[in-house]
């Protein structure tokens, strides 16, 4: 199947669940989010999972902030992975997401700035953080994350689940389990702290990620910030280090609004 065919399936599923998803979105006012299960036919979701590459062919992010494998260079992998990534960028899908969330002037990201695929093995994690507020050229606001999970038989006990922190990273998180064939949508703004809990399973958690951008901020006020990480509540020393790191990154972005070097996590079609 190609991106157009898969996109139609996603659009149909979102249309069928639109009322329920809108209700979820409105219910979670602090960090707006919603999710839909059984997004695609199970056999197709299984094929997508089977198409994931070995981690050795992906880029490892390993530091105090995170530990995971990522890739945005989709032409290096099974063609089905590129098709599912860009299926979420089809016009019909975009329109249904706009209807569900009420967000304005949504644009998909053909460059996959921080999007693409990710694999989290045993012990991998993503600490509480705010996503950067804009796209790679600082022209549009980054307003929405779309996370599609494809690891079969995944449960909350396995870990590697999405966590949302309405009271900030020292509060209590809301957990969205990385359930097989589940699509999660979450807003990204200046207060949408989120993380991925450590993977306690011996299996890998596989995810397809997309990010939508907008001409408008979430809410009425303009804002700008780079990606900022914090420690978990029990990580006091790491929290101090990550606060200092975030402060430094903020000053760098004030001096160099588009950063000091080109990001490696984009789809470079002309390479």
């Amino acid at each position: 199947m190609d991106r157009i065919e898969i996109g139609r399936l996603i659009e149909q599923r979102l249309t069928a669940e639109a009322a329920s998803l809108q209700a979820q979105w409105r219910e979670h006012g602090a960090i707006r989010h919603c999710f839909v299960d059984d997004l695609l036919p199970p056999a197709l979701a299984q094929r997508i999972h089977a198409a994931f590459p070995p981690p050795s062919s992906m880029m490892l992010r390993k530091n105090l902030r995170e530990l995971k494998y990522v890739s945005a260079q989709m032409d290096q992998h099974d063609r089905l992975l590129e098709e599912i990534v860009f299926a979420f960028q089809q016009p019909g899908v975009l329109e249904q997401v706009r209807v569900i969330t009420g967000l304005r002037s949504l644009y998909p990201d053909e460059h996959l700035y921080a999007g693409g695929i990710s694999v989290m093995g045993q012990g991998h994690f993503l600490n509480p953080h705010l996503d950067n507020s804009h796209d790679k050229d600082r022209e549009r606001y980054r307003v929405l994350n779309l996370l599609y999970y494809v690891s079969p038989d995944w449960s909350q006990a396995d870990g590697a689940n999405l966590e949302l922190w309405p009271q900030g990273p020292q509060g209590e998180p809301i957990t969205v389990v990385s359930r097989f064939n589940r699509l999660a949508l979450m807003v990204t703004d200046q207060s949408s702290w989120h993380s991925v809990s450590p993977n306690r399973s011996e299996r890998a958690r596989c995810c397809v990620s997309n990010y939508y951008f907008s001409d408008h901020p979430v809410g009425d006020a303009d804002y700008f910030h780079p990606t900022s990480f914090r420690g978990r509540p029990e990580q006091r020393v790491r929290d101090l280090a990550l606060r200092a790191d975030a402060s430094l990154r903020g000053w760098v972005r004030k001096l160099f609004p588009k950063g000091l070097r080109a990001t490696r996590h984009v789809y470079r079609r002309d390479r």
Side-chain angles (χ1 to χ4, degrees), residues 153-168:
D153 303 315
W154 204 264
S155 69
Q156 183 166 351
D158 290 316
N161 298 307
L162 176 65
E163 298 174 310
L164 308 174
W165 301 78
Q167 285 78 47

Side-chain angles (χ1 to χ4, degrees), residues 200-235:
R200 295 189 290 268
S201 169
E202 295 181 354
R203 298 177 294 132
R205 192 218 68 173
C206 300
C207 181
V208 175
S209 303
N210 267 273
Y211 302 93
Y212 288 174
F213 296 87
S214 176
D215 296 322
H216 311 284
V218 176
D220 298 323
D222 292 334
Y223 52 85
F224 170 75
H225 55 80
T227 304
S228 303
F229 280 82
R230 293 280 301 276
R232 300 177 69 86
E234 68 275 13
Q235 296 174 329

Side-chain angles (χ1 to χ4, degrees), residues 32-215:
R32 294 196 182 275
H33 66 280
C34 59
F35 58 83
V36 56
D37 289 325
D38 306 315
L39 182 73
L40 294 172
L44 177 56
Q46 290 277 6
R47 285 177 53 205
I48 293 167
H49 175 258
F52 265 69
S56 59
S57 67
M58 303 173 69
M59 179 172 63
L60 177 63
R61 292 181 176 272
K62 183 179 181 180
N63 49 56
L64 288 177
R65 302 184 289 270
E66 59 187 331
L67 178 58
K68 64 178 181 176
Y69 290 98
V70 298
S71 180
Q73 197 62 48
M74 301 312 300
D75 60 356
Q76 293 182 350
H77 309 303
D78 189 300
R79 182 171 175 268
L80 180 58
L81 292 177
E82 180 165 9
E83 297 309 301
I84 180 61
V85 168
F86 287 98
F88 288 103
Q89 302 193 13
Q90 294 303 298
V93 176
L94 197 72
E95 175 59 17
Q96 284 306 309
V97 170
R98 187 198 63 77
V99 169
I100 289 164
T101 64
L103 295 170
R104 298 174 288 173
S105 64
L106 292 180
Y107 303 95
D109 179 23
E110 64 177 7
H111 302 292
L112 303 183
Y113 175 45
I117 58 174
S118 65
V119 171
M120 300 184 74
Q122 188 173 30
H124 287 197
F125 65 91
L126 184 61
N127 257 53
H129 65 287
L130 293 176
D131 289 325
N132 52 291
S133 59
H134 287 70
D135 62 13
K136 67 182 183 66
D137 297 318
R138 199 174 167 182
E139 294 177 350
R140 290 172 174 160
Y141 288 89
R142 177 171 168 174
V143 296
L144 190 71
N145 291 0
L146 296 89
L147 306 168
Y148 177 52
Y149 304 112
V150 293
S151 295
D153 303 315
W154 204 264
S155 69
Q156 183 166 351
D158 290 316
N161 298 307
L162 176 65
E163 298 174 310
L164 308 174
W165 301 78
Q167 285 78 47
Q170 298 304 306
E172 290 292 330
I174 297 169
T175 297
V176 178
V177 177
S178 304
R179 181 178 173 179
F180 174 67
N181 206 10
R182 168 176 283 180
L183 173 66
L185 310 178
M186 63 159 290
V187 75
T188 64
D189 57 18
Q190 67 270 45
S191 59
S192 57
W193 289 96
H194 59 288
S195 59
V196 178
S197 60
N199 182 0
R200 295 189 290 268
S201 169
E202 295 181 354
R203 298 177 294 132
R205 192 218 68 173
C206 300
C207 181
V208 175
S209 303
N210 267 273
Y211 302 93
Y212 288 174
F213 296 87
S214 176
D215 296 322

